[in-house]
Protein backbone atom coordinates (compact mmCIF):
# COMPACT_ATOMS: atom_id res chain seq x y z
CA UNK A 1 0.00 0.00 0.00
CA UNK A 2 1.44 3.45 -0.83
CA UNK A 3 2.97 5.27 2.06
CA UNK A 4 0.66 8.29 1.78
CA UNK A 5 -2.42 6.11 2.04
CA UNK A 6 -0.94 4.12 4.91
CA UNK A 7 -0.26 7.28 6.86
CA UNK A 8 -3.80 8.58 6.41
CA UNK A 9 -5.86 5.40 6.15
CA UNK A 10 -4.65 2.64 8.40
CA UNK A 11 -6.04 -0.86 8.06
CA UNK A 12 -7.41 -0.51 11.59
CA UNK A 13 -8.86 2.98 11.20
CA UNK A 14 -7.89 6.57 10.61
CA UNK A 15 -4.62 7.81 11.99
CA UNK A 16 -5.01 9.07 15.52
CA UNK A 17 -2.82 11.74 16.97
CA UNK A 18 -2.75 12.43 20.66
CA UNK A 19 -2.49 16.16 20.67
CA UNK A 20 -1.02 15.98 17.20
CA UNK A 21 -0.96 18.38 14.31
CA UNK A 22 0.55 21.50 15.71
CA UNK A 23 -1.35 22.63 18.69
CA UNK A 24 -4.50 20.51 18.87
CA UNK A 25 -5.72 19.43 22.32
CA UNK A 26 -4.97 15.73 22.87
CA UNK A 27 -6.81 13.42 25.25
CA UNK A 28 -4.05 13.73 27.81
CA UNK A 29 -4.27 17.55 27.70
CA UNK A 30 -7.82 17.38 29.07
CA UNK A 31 -6.48 16.42 32.53
CA UNK A 32 -4.19 19.46 32.55
CA UNK A 33 -7.05 21.74 31.50
CA UNK A 34 -9.75 20.16 33.69
CA UNK A 35 -9.43 22.62 36.52
CA UNK A 36 -10.06 25.48 34.06
CA UNK A 37 -13.33 24.02 32.73
CA UNK A 38 -16.66 25.36 33.97
CA UNK A 39 -20.10 23.76 33.62
CA UNK A 40 -23.33 25.60 32.84
CA UNK A 41 -25.69 22.99 34.28
CA UNK A 42 -26.07 24.80 37.61
CA UNK A 43 -27.22 27.95 35.89
CA UNK A 44 -29.79 26.06 33.84
CA UNK A 45 -31.23 24.30 36.88
CA UNK A 46 -31.42 27.61 38.77
CA UNK A 47 -33.44 29.11 35.96
CA UNK A 48 -35.80 26.14 35.91
CA UNK A 49 -36.33 26.10 39.66
CA UNK A 50 -37.10 29.81 39.78
CA UNK A 51 -39.63 29.86 36.94
CA UNK A 52 -42.69 30.59 39.08
CA UNK A 53 -40.81 33.17 41.11
CA UNK A 54 -39.61 34.92 37.98
CA UNK A 55 -43.19 35.11 36.64
CA UNK A 56 -44.33 36.87 39.80
CA UNK A 57 -41.41 39.24 39.61
CA UNK A 58 -42.10 39.87 35.92
CA UNK A 59 -45.72 40.75 36.74
CA UNK A 60 -44.62 43.23 39.41
CA UNK A 61 -42.06 44.59 36.99
CA UNK A 62 -44.70 45.23 34.32
CA UNK A 63 -46.74 47.20 36.89
CA UNK A 64 -43.77 49.30 37.84
CA UNK A 65 -43.57 52.82 36.44
CA UNK A 66 -39.76 52.68 36.30
CA UNK A 67 -39.83 49.45 34.27
CA UNK A 68 -42.37 50.89 31.79
CA UNK A 69 -40.15 53.93 31.43
CA UNK A 70 -37.35 51.72 29.90
CA UNK A 71 -39.43 51.69 26.76
CA UNK A 72 -38.19 48.41 25.19
CA UNK A 73 -39.32 44.82 25.61
CA UNK A 74 -35.75 43.56 25.43
CA UNK A 75 -34.75 45.78 28.33
CA UNK A 76 -37.47 44.29 30.53
CA UNK A 77 -36.45 40.76 29.48
CA UNK A 78 -32.82 41.37 30.48
CA UNK A 79 -33.95 42.69 33.88
CA UNK A 80 -36.04 39.59 34.54
CA UNK A 81 -33.19 37.29 33.54
CA UNK A 82 -30.86 38.90 36.05
CA UNK A 83 -33.44 38.49 38.80
CA UNK A 84 -33.70 34.78 37.98
CA UNK A 85 -29.96 34.62 38.64
CA UNK A 86 -30.69 36.24 42.04
CA UNK A 87 -28.70 39.36 41.35
CA UNK A 88 -29.16 41.91 44.20
CA UNK A 89 -31.88 44.40 43.37
CA UNK A 90 -30.57 47.97 43.05
CA UNK A 91 -32.45 51.08 44.13
CA UNK A 92 -32.67 53.47 41.22
CA UNK A 93 -32.81 57.20 41.69
CA UNK A 94 -35.74 58.59 39.73
CA UNK A 95 -33.55 61.49 38.74
CA UNK A 96 -31.01 59.16 37.09
CA UNK A 97 -31.08 59.48 33.33
CA UNK A 98 -32.12 56.56 31.14
CA UNK A 99 -28.66 56.47 29.56
CA UNK A 100 -27.00 56.17 32.99
CA UNK A 101 -29.30 53.31 33.98
CA UNK A 102 -28.59 51.48 30.71
CA UNK A 103 -24.85 51.91 31.26
CA UNK A 104 -25.14 50.53 34.79
CA UNK A 105 -27.06 47.49 33.54
CA UNK A 106 -24.38 46.82 30.94
CA UNK A 107 -21.70 46.88 33.65
CA UNK A 108 -23.55 44.23 35.67
CA UNK A 109 -24.46 42.06 32.69
CA UNK A 110 -23.03 38.49 33.04
CA UNK A 111 -20.23 37.98 30.51
CA UNK A 112 -21.17 35.83 27.55
CA UNK A 113 -18.28 33.32 27.05
CA UNK A 114 -18.97 33.28 23.31
CA UNK A 115 -18.69 37.05 23.02
CA UNK A 116 -15.08 37.74 22.11
CA UNK A 117 -15.41 39.70 18.90
CA UNK A 118 -16.16 43.24 17.97
CA UNK A 119 -18.47 44.19 15.15
CA UNK A 120 -15.45 44.33 12.82
CA UNK A 121 -14.19 40.82 13.74
CA UNK A 122 -16.06 37.68 12.64
CA UNK A 123 -15.56 33.96 13.21
CA UNK A 124 -16.87 31.00 11.23
CA UNK A 125 -18.96 28.22 12.78
CA UNK A 126 -15.80 26.39 13.96
CA UNK A 127 -14.32 29.43 15.68
CA UNK A 128 -11.73 30.22 12.99
CA UNK A 129 -11.05 33.91 12.45
CA UNK A 130 -12.50 35.15 9.16
CA UNK A 131 -9.91 37.31 7.43
CA UNK A 132 -8.67 38.33 4.02
CA UNK A 133 -5.35 39.33 2.54
CA UNK A 134 -4.39 42.82 3.61
CA UNK A 135 -6.09 42.74 7.02
CA UNK A 136 -3.93 44.04 9.89
CA UNK A 137 -3.96 42.41 13.33
CA UNK A 138 -2.80 44.07 16.53
CA UNK A 139 -2.04 47.26 14.52
CA UNK A 140 1.14 45.54 13.37
CA UNK A 141 0.76 42.26 11.46
CA UNK A 142 -0.45 42.50 7.86
CA UNK A 143 -1.95 39.20 6.65
CA UNK A 144 -0.51 37.98 3.34
CA UNK A 145 -1.59 34.35 2.80
CA UNK A 146 -2.60 31.15 4.61
CA UNK A 147 0.25 28.67 5.12
CA UNK A 148 -1.70 25.80 6.70
CA UNK A 149 -4.62 24.75 8.85
CA UNK A 150 -4.98 22.32 11.75
CA UNK A 151 -7.30 21.40 14.57
CA UNK A 152 -5.96 24.29 16.65
CA UNK A 153 -6.47 26.99 14.01
CA UNK A 154 -4.51 28.39 11.08
CA UNK A 155 -0.94 29.48 10.36
CA UNK A 156 -0.74 32.64 8.28
CA UNK A 157 2.12 34.35 6.48
CA UNK A 158 2.23 37.94 7.72
CA UNK A 159 4.39 41.04 7.41
CA UNK A 160 5.55 42.55 10.67
CA UNK A 161 5.18 46.23 9.78
CA UNK A 162 7.12 47.30 12.89
CA UNK A 163 10.26 45.41 11.84
CA UNK A 164 9.63 45.09 8.10
CA UNK A 165 10.07 41.32 8.08
CA UNK A 166 7.94 38.35 7.05
CA UNK A 167 7.00 35.90 9.79
CA UNK A 168 4.45 33.13 10.52
CA UNK A 169 1.46 33.85 12.74
CA UNK A 170 -0.40 30.99 14.41
CA UNK A 171 -4.04 32.08 14.93
CA UNK A 172 -5.81 29.86 17.45
CA UNK A 173 -9.53 29.16 17.10
CA UNK A 174 -11.84 31.15 19.35
CA UNK A 175 -12.67 28.06 21.39
CA UNK A 176 -11.96 27.95 25.12
CA UNK A 177 -10.04 24.64 25.23
CA UNK A 178 -7.77 25.71 22.37
CA UNK A 179 -7.11 29.08 24.01
CA UNK A 180 -6.09 27.35 27.22
CA UNK A 181 -3.87 24.88 25.35
CA UNK A 182 -2.23 27.79 23.50
CA UNK A 183 -1.42 29.50 26.80
CA UNK A 184 0.20 26.29 28.06
CA UNK A 185 2.34 26.24 24.92
CA UNK A 186 3.26 29.90 25.41
CA UNK A 187 4.46 29.09 28.93
CA UNK A 188 6.79 26.42 27.52
CA UNK A 189 8.02 28.69 24.71
CA UNK A 190 8.78 31.47 27.18
CA UNK A 191 10.77 29.04 29.33
CA UNK A 192 12.74 27.96 26.25
CA UNK A 193 13.41 31.60 25.36
CA UNK A 194 14.58 32.30 28.90
CA UNK A 195 17.08 29.42 28.75
CA UNK A 196 18.05 29.90 25.09
CA UNK A 197 17.39 33.51 23.99
CA UNK A 198 19.47 33.17 20.83
CA UNK A 199 17.91 29.95 19.54
CA UNK A 200 21.15 27.99 19.58
CA UNK A 201 19.44 24.75 20.55
CA UNK A 202 17.32 24.53 17.40
CA UNK A 203 13.85 25.01 18.91
CA UNK A 204 11.51 27.32 17.04
CA UNK A 205 11.60 30.86 18.37
CA UNK A 206 8.46 32.66 19.53
CA UNK A 207 8.72 36.33 18.58
CA UNK A 208 5.50 37.66 20.10
CA UNK A 209 2.03 36.68 21.25
CA UNK A 210 -1.24 38.53 21.83
CA UNK A 211 -4.98 38.02 22.23
CA UNK A 212 -6.99 39.28 19.24
CA UNK A 213 -10.68 39.29 20.23
CA UNK A 214 -10.49 35.79 21.73
CA UNK A 215 -7.96 34.41 19.24
CA UNK A 216 -4.58 33.70 20.82
CA UNK A 217 -2.00 34.60 18.16
CA UNK A 218 1.62 33.43 18.36
CA UNK A 219 4.29 34.89 16.07
CA UNK A 220 7.16 32.65 14.93
CA UNK A 221 10.15 32.91 12.66
CA UNK A 222 9.37 31.86 9.09
CA UNK A 223 10.60 28.35 8.26
CA UNK A 224 10.26 25.85 5.41
CA UNK A 225 8.30 22.62 4.95
CA UNK A 226 8.05 19.95 7.61
CA UNK A 227 10.13 16.82 7.15
CA UNK A 228 6.94 14.83 6.63
CA UNK A 229 5.59 17.21 3.96
CA UNK A 230 8.94 17.09 2.15
CA UNK A 231 8.87 13.29 2.25
CA UNK A 232 5.31 13.20 0.97
CA UNK A 233 6.01 15.66 -1.87
CA UNK A 234 9.07 13.57 -2.76
CA UNK A 235 6.92 10.41 -2.99
CA UNK A 236 8.54 9.09 0.21
CA UNK A 237 12.00 8.82 -1.28
CA UNK A 238 14.44 8.29 1.63
CA UNK A 239 16.91 11.04 2.52
CA UNK A 240 20.58 10.60 1.60
CA UNK A 241 22.74 9.21 4.40
CA UNK A 242 24.52 12.52 5.01
CA UNK A 243 21.14 14.21 5.51
CA UNK A 244 19.91 11.42 7.79
CA UNK A 245 23.04 11.84 9.91
CA UNK A 246 22.81 15.63 10.15
CA UNK A 247 19.04 15.76 10.78
CA UNK A 248 19.16 12.98 13.39
CA UNK A 249 22.04 14.70 15.18
CA UNK A 250 20.20 18.04 15.30
CA UNK A 251 17.07 16.33 16.62
CA UNK A 252 19.07 14.63 19.39
CA UNK A 253 20.78 17.95 20.18
CA UNK A 254 17.51 19.92 20.42
CA UNK A 255 15.62 17.34 22.48
CA UNK A 256 18.64 16.83 24.77
CA UNK A 257 18.41 20.55 25.52
CA UNK A 258 14.72 20.14 26.43
CA UNK A 259 15.61 17.26 28.72
CA UNK A 260 18.32 19.40 30.36
CA UNK A 261 15.70 21.99 31.37
CA UNK A 262 13.39 19.23 32.68
CA UNK A 263 11.02 19.14 29.71
CA UNK A 264 9.69 16.17 27.76
CA UNK A 265 8.36 16.99 24.28
CA UNK A 266 6.04 13.90 24.14
CA UNK A 267 4.99 14.44 20.50
CA UNK A 268 8.09 14.01 18.37
CA UNK A 269 7.29 13.10 14.75
CA UNK A 270 8.33 14.24 11.24
CA UNK A 271 5.39 16.66 11.14
CA UNK A 272 6.93 18.57 14.07
CA UNK A 273 10.37 18.96 12.50
CA UNK A 274 10.70 21.82 10.02
CA UNK A 275 13.46 22.64 7.57
CA UNK A 276 14.88 26.12 7.98
CA UNK A 277 14.75 26.35 4.18
CA UNK A 278 13.15 23.55 2.15
CA UNK A 279 14.45 24.61 -1.27
CA UNK A 280 15.69 21.57 -3.20
CA UNK A 281 17.63 20.35 -6.19
CA UNK A 282 16.25 17.65 -8.49
CA UNK A 283 18.64 14.74 -9.09
CA UNK A 284 18.31 11.30 -10.72
CA UNK A 285 17.18 8.53 -8.40
CA UNK A 286 19.87 6.12 -7.16
CA UNK A 287 17.47 3.19 -7.30
CA UNK A 288 17.90 0.83 -10.24
CA UNK A 289 14.14 0.23 -10.22
CA UNK A 290 13.29 3.92 -10.60
CA UNK A 291 14.06 6.09 -13.57
CA UNK A 292 12.39 9.23 -12.17
CA UNK A 293 14.10 12.19 -10.56
CA UNK A 294 13.96 12.91 -6.84
CA UNK A 295 14.38 15.97 -4.66
CA UNK A 296 17.38 16.61 -2.44
CA UNK A 297 16.94 19.43 0.06
CA UNK A 298 19.71 21.99 -0.37
CA UNK A 299 20.16 22.63 3.36
CA UNK A 300 19.41 20.00 6.01
CA UNK A 301 19.20 22.47 8.91
CA UNK A 302 16.04 21.83 10.96
CA UNK A 303 14.03 23.31 13.83
CA UNK A 304 11.86 21.54 16.39
CA UNK A 305 8.28 22.85 16.74
CA UNK A 306 4.94 22.28 18.51
CA UNK A 307 5.41 22.44 22.26
CA UNK A 308 1.70 22.32 23.02
CA UNK A 309 2.08 18.88 24.60
CA UNK A 310 5.47 19.41 26.26
CA UNK A 311 5.47 18.48 29.95
CA UNK A 312 7.76 19.69 32.73
CA UNK A 313 9.04 17.08 35.15
CA UNK A 314 6.99 18.53 38.03
CA UNK A 315 3.72 18.59 36.06
CA UNK A 316 1.01 15.96 35.86
CA UNK A 317 1.95 13.06 33.57
CA UNK A 318 -1.10 11.56 31.88
CA UNK A 319 -1.24 7.88 30.99
CA UNK A 320 -1.10 8.18 27.19
CA UNK A 321 1.16 10.50 25.21
CA UNK A 322 2.73 10.64 21.73
CA UNK A 323 1.29 10.05 18.30
CA UNK A 324 0.62 6.34 17.77
CA UNK A 325 3.45 5.50 15.35
CA UNK A 326 6.10 6.97 17.67
CA UNK A 327 4.69 5.77 21.01
CA UNK A 328 7.03 3.97 23.39
CA UNK A 329 6.13 0.53 24.87
CA UNK A 330 6.01 1.84 28.46
CA UNK A 331 3.27 4.24 27.34
CA UNK A 332 1.24 1.50 25.63
CA UNK A 333 1.60 -0.76 28.67
CA UNK A 334 0.68 2.13 31.00
CA UNK A 335 3.79 1.67 33.11
CA UNK A 336 4.51 5.37 33.46
CA UNK A 337 6.82 7.42 31.27
CA UNK A 338 9.52 10.07 31.43
CA UNK A 339 12.04 11.61 29.04
CA UNK A 340 13.18 8.26 27.55
CA UNK A 341 9.86 8.12 25.67
CA UNK A 342 11.25 10.96 23.50
CA UNK A 343 14.31 8.82 22.75
CA UNK A 344 12.09 5.99 21.49
CA UNK A 345 10.28 8.45 19.19
CA UNK A 346 13.60 9.68 17.77
CA UNK A 347 14.62 6.09 16.98
CA UNK A 348 11.39 5.63 15.00
CA UNK A 349 11.97 8.94 13.18
CA UNK A 350 15.54 8.01 12.22
CA UNK A 351 14.27 4.76 10.68
CA UNK A 352 11.73 6.79 8.70
CA UNK A 353 14.33 9.25 7.42
CA UNK A 354 16.52 6.36 6.27
CA UNK A 355 13.84 4.25 4.52
CA UNK A 356 10.99 6.70 3.89
CA UNK A 357 8.42 4.45 5.58
CA UNK A 358 6.97 4.27 9.08
CA UNK A 359 8.50 1.64 11.35
CA UNK A 360 5.27 0.80 13.21
CA UNK A 361 2.32 1.28 10.86
CA UNK A 362 -0.67 0.39 13.00
CA UNK A 363 -3.50 1.84 15.08
CA UNK A 364 -4.05 -1.07 17.45
CA UNK A 365 -2.16 -1.61 20.72
CA UNK A 366 -1.97 -5.39 20.50
CA UNK A 367 -0.83 -5.31 16.88
CA UNK A 368 1.67 -2.57 17.76
CA UNK A 369 3.18 -4.83 20.44
CA UNK A 370 3.25 -7.76 17.99
CA UNK A 371 5.18 -5.60 15.52
CA UNK A 372 7.65 -4.68 18.24
CA UNK A 373 8.27 -8.33 19.05
CA UNK A 374 8.72 -9.18 15.36
CA UNK A 375 11.23 -6.33 14.88
CA UNK A 376 12.97 -6.12 18.27
CA UNK A 377 12.40 -9.50 19.93
CA UNK A 378 10.19 -10.53 22.88
CA UNK A 379 8.96 -7.92 25.32
CA UNK A 380 10.73 -8.42 28.68
CA UNK A 381 8.87 -10.67 31.09
CA UNK A 382 9.14 -8.11 33.93
CA UNK A 383 7.30 -5.50 31.83
CA UNK A 384 4.64 -8.00 30.78
CA UNK A 385 4.01 -8.98 34.39
CA UNK A 386 4.00 -5.41 35.67
CA UNK A 387 1.43 -4.00 33.25
CA UNK A 388 -2.25 -3.94 34.19
CA UNK A 389 -3.29 -4.07 30.55
CA UNK A 390 -4.68 -7.35 29.22
CA UNK A 391 -2.33 -7.87 26.31
CA UNK A 392 -0.40 -10.75 27.91
CA UNK A 393 -1.17 -14.25 29.13
CA UNK A 394 1.32 -15.79 31.56
CA UNK A 395 3.91 -13.18 30.57
CA UNK A 396 3.59 -13.73 26.82
CA UNK A 397 1.81 -11.54 24.28
CA UNK A 398 -1.72 -12.80 23.67
CA UNK A 399 -1.59 -12.76 19.87
CA UNK A 400 -3.30 -15.12 17.44
CA UNK A 401 -0.80 -16.02 14.71
CA UNK A 402 -3.54 -17.39 12.43
CA UNK A 403 -5.37 -14.12 11.78
CA UNK A 404 -5.01 -11.83 8.76
CA UNK A 405 -3.49 -9.18 11.02
CA UNK A 406 -0.83 -11.65 12.14
CA UNK A 407 -0.08 -12.50 8.54
CA UNK A 408 0.29 -8.79 7.75
CA UNK A 409 2.77 -8.40 10.62
CA UNK A 410 4.82 -11.42 9.48
CA UNK A 411 4.97 -10.21 5.89
CA UNK A 412 5.73 -6.56 6.58
CA UNK A 413 7.91 -6.64 9.69
CA UNK A 414 11.38 -8.11 9.97
CA UNK A 415 14.23 -7.92 12.50
CA UNK A 416 15.60 -4.39 12.73
CA UNK A 417 19.12 -5.10 11.46
CA UNK A 418 17.74 -6.68 8.27
CA UNK A 419 16.27 -3.32 7.23
CA UNK A 420 19.69 -1.90 6.42
CA UNK A 421 20.13 -1.22 2.70
CA UNK A 422 23.75 -2.42 2.71
CA UNK A 423 26.45 -3.69 5.05
CA UNK A 424 28.61 -0.57 4.94
CA UNK A 425 29.92 0.49 8.39
CA UNK A 426 27.89 3.72 8.55
CA UNK A 427 24.67 1.76 7.90
CA UNK A 428 25.54 -0.68 10.66
CA UNK A 429 26.31 2.23 12.99
CA UNK A 430 22.96 3.83 12.20
CA UNK A 431 21.04 0.67 13.08
CA UNK A 432 23.13 0.16 16.18
CA UNK A 433 22.07 3.61 17.38
CA UNK A 434 18.42 3.05 16.43
CA UNK A 435 18.49 -0.28 18.27
CA UNK A 436 19.84 1.36 21.43
CA UNK A 437 17.07 3.97 21.22
CA UNK A 438 14.46 1.23 20.86
CA UNK A 439 15.37 -0.71 23.99
CA UNK A 440 12.14 -1.88 25.64
CA UNK A 441 13.14 -0.91 29.16
CA UNK A 442 13.47 2.89 29.36
CA UNK A 443 16.24 2.45 31.96
CA UNK A 444 18.30 0.55 29.38
CA UNK A 445 17.65 3.07 26.59
CA UNK A 446 20.53 5.28 25.50
CA UNK A 447 20.31 8.89 26.66
CA UNK A 448 20.52 11.69 24.11
CA UNK A 449 23.68 13.04 25.73
CA UNK A 450 25.26 9.63 25.05
CA UNK A 451 23.75 9.47 21.56
CA UNK A 452 25.49 12.71 20.52
CA UNK A 453 28.83 10.95 20.96
CA UNK A 454 27.79 7.80 19.09
CA UNK A 455 30.15 6.67 16.26
CA UNK A 456 27.36 7.23 13.71
CA UNK A 457 27.82 11.00 14.15
CA UNK A 458 31.62 10.85 13.92
CA UNK A 459 31.60 11.81 10.22
CA UNK A 460 29.86 15.12 10.84
CA UNK A 461 32.00 18.17 10.03
CA UNK A 462 33.35 19.94 13.10
CA UNK A 463 31.09 22.98 12.63
CA UNK A 464 28.01 20.72 12.79
CA UNK A 465 28.99 19.06 16.09
CA UNK A 466 27.04 21.56 18.15
CA UNK A 467 27.30 19.74 21.47
CA UNK A 468 31.07 20.33 21.44
CA UNK A 469 30.48 24.07 20.97
CA UNK A 470 27.71 24.53 23.54
CA UNK A 471 27.57 23.12 27.01
CA UNK A 472 24.54 23.36 29.24
CA UNK A 473 25.34 25.23 32.44
CA UNK A 474 25.59 28.56 34.16
CA UNK A 475 28.77 29.51 32.29
CA UNK A 476 27.05 29.23 28.90
CA UNK A 477 25.82 32.68 27.88
CA UNK A 478 23.19 31.09 25.64
CA UNK A 479 21.35 29.75 28.68
CA UNK A 480 20.96 33.12 30.34
CA UNK A 481 17.81 33.41 32.41
CA UNK A 482 16.77 36.65 30.76
CA UNK A 483 16.75 38.18 27.29
CA UNK A 484 19.70 40.58 27.01
CA UNK A 485 19.25 44.21 26.10
CA UNK A 486 19.13 44.76 22.37
CA UNK A 487 17.80 41.29 21.69
CA UNK A 488 15.42 40.96 18.76
CA UNK A 489 12.93 39.11 20.98
CA UNK A 490 9.80 41.20 21.53
CA UNK A 491 7.08 40.05 23.94
CA UNK A 492 3.96 42.10 24.53
CA UNK A 493 2.70 39.84 27.34
CA UNK A 494 3.94 37.47 29.99
CA UNK A 495 2.17 34.41 31.36
CA UNK A 496 2.95 33.30 34.89
CA UNK A 497 3.32 29.58 35.34
Amino acid sequence: MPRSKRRLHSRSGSRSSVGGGGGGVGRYEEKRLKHHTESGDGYKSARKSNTSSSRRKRKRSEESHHQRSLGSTSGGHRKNRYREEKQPRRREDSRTSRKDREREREQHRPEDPKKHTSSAVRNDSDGHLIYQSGDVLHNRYKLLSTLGEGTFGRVVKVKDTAKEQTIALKIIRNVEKYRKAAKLEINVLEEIIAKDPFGRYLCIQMLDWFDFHGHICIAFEMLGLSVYDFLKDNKYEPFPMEHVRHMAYQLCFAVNFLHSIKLTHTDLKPENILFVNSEFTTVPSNSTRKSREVRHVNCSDIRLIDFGNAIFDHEYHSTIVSTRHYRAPEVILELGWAQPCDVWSIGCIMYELYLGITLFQTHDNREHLAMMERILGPIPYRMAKKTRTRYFHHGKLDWDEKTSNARYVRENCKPLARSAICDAPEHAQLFNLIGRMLEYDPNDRITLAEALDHPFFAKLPAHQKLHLQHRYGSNDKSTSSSVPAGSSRDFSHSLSR
Side-chain angles (χ1 to χ4, degrees), residues 369-436:
L369 296 171
M371 288 181 169
M372 289 181 184
E373 292 205 329
R374 179 76 176 169
I375 295 170
L376 304 170
I379 294 172
Y381 179 80
R382 62 184 179 277
M383 294 180 71
K385 292 295 291 184
K386 189 177 179 181
T387 180
R388 294 184 177 182
T389 61
R390 300 182 178 181
Y391 303 130
F392 296 87
H393 182 67
H394 296 307
K396 293 185 177 180
L397 183 64
D398 188 6
W399 177 249
D400 189 350
E401 293 288 351
K402 298 179 181 179
T403 63
S404 59
N405 286 349
R407 184 169 61 254
Y408 174 85
V409 171
R410 285 195 303 273
E411 293 174 354
N412 292 276
C413 300
K414 56 187 176 182
L416 183 65
R418 288 174 52 189
S419 295
I421 296 173
C422 68
D423 297 330
E426 61 182 2
H427 293 255
Q429 291 169 352
L430 169 62
F431 277 89
N432 175 269
L433 178 55
I434 293 175
R436 295 188 64 186

Side-chain angles (χ1 to χ4, degrees), residues 167-391:
I167 62 174
L169 190 67
K170 186 176 180 179
I171 305 176
I172 306 299
R173 288 164 58 186
N174 190 353
V175 177
E176 186 64 14
K177 65 178 180 179
Y178 295 121
R179 282 196 298 272
K180 291 173 179 174
K183 290 178 181 179
L184 291 174
E185 180 175 11
I186 290 168
N187 280 331
V188 174
L189 290 166
E190 288 186 332
E191 181 68 14
I192 291 173
I193 281 288
K195 295 295 192 297
D196 180 25
F198 301 106
R200 294 174 178 172
Y201 294 103
L202 312 183
C203 298
I204 193 169
Q205 296 291 286
M206 179 176 69
L207 307 178
D208 186 18
W209 79 269
F210 56 91
D211 189 329
F212 184 75
H213 300 282
H215 296 273
I216 300 296
C217 301
I218 311 176
F220 294 104
E221 56 186 324
M222 180 67 73
L223 298 172
L225 289 175
S226 73
V227 169
Y228 173 71
D229 285 332
F230 191 93
L231 264 174
K232 182 177 65 175
D233 293 346
N234 203 24
K235 296 180 170 46
Y236 302 99
E237 181 73 16
F239 288 97
M241 180 60 84
E242 62 270 21
H243 288 172
V244 173
R245 180 183 288 108
H246 187 212
M247 293 160 64
Y249 175 88
Q250 293 174 88
L251 184 56
C252 291
F253 180 72
V255 180
N256 186 45
F257 164 70
L258 297 182
H259 292 180
S260 76
I261 61 172
K262 304 185 184 305
L263 261 175
T264 307
H265 189 283
T266 79
D267 198 19
L268 297 173
K269 54 185 176 180
E271 290 90 332
N272 288 339
I273 306 167
L274 267 56
F275 286 110
V276 172
N277 187 329
S278 52
E279 293 181 357
F280 60 87
T281 302
T282 303
V283 298
S285 173
N286 292 329
S287 175
T288 57
R289 295 174 294 176
K290 300 175 183 178
S291 58
R292 63 180 179 86
E293 294 184 327
V294 298
R295 300 174 180 180
H296 278 191
V297 67
N298 294 337
C299 177
S300 54
D301 290 349
I302 60 172
R303 295 291 183 269
L304 183 61
I305 70 164
D306 195 351
F307 298 91
N309 294 317
I311 305 292
F312 285 95
D313 288 356
H314 67 272
E315 290 184 316
Y316 169 79
H317 284 40
S318 61
T319 303
I320 303 298
V321 293
S322 304
T323 297
R324 158 65 67 186
H325 307 76
Y326 311 94
R327 188 174 296 162
E330 65 268 24
V331 178
I332 298 174
L333 298 178
E334 301 179 8
L335 298 175
W337 56 269
Q339 291 159 349
C341 76
D342 279 346
V343 180
W344 177 281
S345 299
I346 293 175
C348 297
I349 293 170
M350 290 173 62
Y351 181 96
E352 197 164 338
L353 298 176
Y354 176 79
L355 288 171
I357 57 175
T358 314
L359 178 56
F360 299 108
Q361 181 56 47
T362 181
H363 286 277
D364 177 78
N365 280 342
R366 199 181 302 272
E367 184 179 69
H368 198 164
L369 296 171
M371 288 181 169
M372 289 181 184
E373 292 205 329
R374 179 76 176 169
I375 295 170
L376 304 170
I379 294 172
Y381 179 80
R382 62 184 179 277
M383 294 180 71
K385 292 295 291 184
K386 189 177 179 181
T387 180
R388 294 184 177 182
T389 61
R390 300 182 178 181
Y391 303 130

Side-chain angles (χ1 to χ4, degrees), residues 102-222:
E102 290 288 351
R103 185 183 302 113
E104 186 178 358
R105 273 190 292 273
E106 288 298 326
Q107 291 174 352
H108 288 269
R109 180 193 300 273
E111 183 181 0
D112 184 354
K114 296 183 179 179
K115 184 179 179 182
H116 288 280
T117 61
S118 68
S119 58
V121 179
R122 296 184 298 134
N123 300 329
D124 64 16
S125 59
D126 293 324
H128 290 286
L129 177 67
I130 297 176
Y131 59 84
Q132 58 185 2
S133 180
D135 288 350
V136 178
L137 274 58
H138 206 50
N139 297 319
R140 177 173 175 176
Y141 300 105
K142 183 177 181 180
L143 306 185
L144 302 178
S145 61
T146 301
L147 296 174
E149 180 175 329
T151 305
F152 62 90
R154 296 190 176 104
V155 179
V156 184
K157 181 180 179 180
V158 303
K159 181 179 181 180
D160 182 351
T161 57
K163 296 185 177 181
E164 292 297 320
Q165 64 182 11
T166 301
I167 62 174
L169 190 67
K170 186 176 180 179
I171 305 176
I172 306 299
R173 288 164 58 186
N174 190 353
V175 177
E176 186 64 14
K177 65 178 180 179
Y178 295 121
R179 282 196 298 272
K180 291 173 179 174
K183 290 178 181 179
L184 291 174
E185 180 175 11
I186 290 168
N187 280 331
V188 174
L189 290 166
E190 288 186 332
E191 181 68 14
I192 291 173
I193 281 288
K195 295 295 192 297
D196 180 25
F198 301 106
R200 294 174 178 172
Y201 294 103
L202 312 183
C203 298
I204 193 169
Q205 296 291 286
M206 179 176 69
L207 307 178
D208 186 18
W209 79 269
F210 56 91
D211 189 329
F212 184 75
H213 300 282
H215 296 273
I216 300 296
C217 301
I218 311 176
F220 294 104
E221 56 186 324
M222 180 67 73

